[in-house]
């Protein structure tokens, strides 16, 4: 159990950070309860939940295909391979973050398909910059989370 102790705080902080984004989105709406804000929240969440899995796939990919690197005996080749795969996941994270932020930038064009109420559309469009900023870094966080959890998985393999 002590082998996992160094990973408790980073993994917990990552999970709490991810969930806190969802909580903040809901809190903003609940603190200004109104029909327009609630309708806008539903539309924003629809986009969020459709786009979020694109970058989350990096986390799952890292957990599925890379744990064997951590299970190998420590060597220069293993270290080089881990650095290389980390860089590749960061690149993929940047790419996925850019794709997600680009998809969110289309929200103002697509909002009219979700509602005909101009007030709701304006409310949805007002959060697009914040969502774009969130999704711009979401890919990197997902890739980093997957690599961080790989150390835990690698520790499990050694047990």
């Amino acid at each position: 159990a002590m082998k996992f102790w160094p990973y408790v705080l980073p993994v917990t902080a990552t999970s709490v950070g991810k969930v806190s984004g969802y909580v903040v989105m809901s809190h903003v709406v609940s603190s200004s309860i109104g029909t327009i804000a609630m309708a806008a929240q539903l539309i924003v969440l629809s986009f969020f939940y459709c786009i979020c899995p694109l970058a989350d796939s990096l986390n799952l990919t890292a957990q599925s295909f890379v744990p064997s690197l951590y299970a190998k005996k420590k060597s220069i080749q293993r270290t080089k391979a881990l650095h290389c795969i980390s860089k590749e996941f960061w690149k993929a994270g940047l790419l996925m973050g850019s794709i997600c932020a680009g998809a969110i930038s289309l929200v103002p064009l697509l909002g009219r398909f979700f509602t005909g109420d101009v007030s709701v559309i304006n409310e949805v469009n007002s959060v697009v910059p914040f969502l774009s900023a969130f999704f711009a870094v979401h890919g990197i966080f997902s890739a980093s989370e997957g690599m961080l959890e790989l150390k835990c998985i690698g520790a499990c393999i050694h047990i």
Side-chain angles (χ1 to χ4, degrees), residues 16-31:
V16 168
K18 191 181 250 188
V19 172
S20 66
Y22 307 143
V23 171
V24 168
M25 287 170 51
S26 297
H27 175 69
V28 168
V29 172
S30 66
S31 66

Side-chain angles (χ1 to χ4, degrees), residues 6-153:
Y7 307 110
V8 170
L9 183 62
V11 172
T12 303
T14 301
S15 298
V16 168
K18 191 181 250 188
V19 172
S20 66
Y22 307 143
V23 171
V24 168
M25 287 170 51
S26 297
H27 175 69
V28 168
V29 172
S30 66
S31 66
S32 63
I33 298 176
T35 55
I36 293 172
M38 291 301 283
Q41 172 75 358
L42 289 174
I43 293 170
V44 168
L45 281 176
S46 296
F47 279 106
F48 181 82
Y49 289 136
C50 288
I51 295 172
C52 200
L54 296 175
D56 284 346
S57 63
L58 293 171
N59 181 354
L60 300 173
T61 302
Q63 291 177 28
S64 298
F65 294 107
V66 190
S68 60
L69 286 175
Y70 284 100
K72 291 184 179 180
K73 185 179 177 183
K74 290 185 179 183
S75 66
I76 294 173
Q77 291 82 11
R78 175 185 177 257
T79 303
K80 286 181 182 179
L82 289 173
H83 284 292
C84 180
I85 198 73
S86 294
K87 287 179 187 178
E88 294 302 319
F89 270 105
W90 272 67
K91 289 177 190 176
L94 284 171
L95 178 64
M96 293 306 287
S98 299
I99 290 170
C100 291
I104 284 295
S105 70
L106 298 175
V107 168
L109 301 173
L110 301 174
R112 61 189 169 94
F113 295 113
F114 289 87
T115 183
D117 189 340
V118 177
S119 300
V120 175
I121 292 172
N122 289 337
E123 191 80 18
V124 169
N125 292 346
S126 71
V127 299
V128 168
F130 301 108
L131 283 173
S132 292
F134 175 82
F135 276 116
V137 296
H138 180 61
I140 294 171
F141 286 138
S142 291
S144 298
E145 181 182 7
M147 294 301 291
L148 178 64
E149 289 175 1
L150 282 175
K151 290 181 181 179
C152 296
I153 294 169

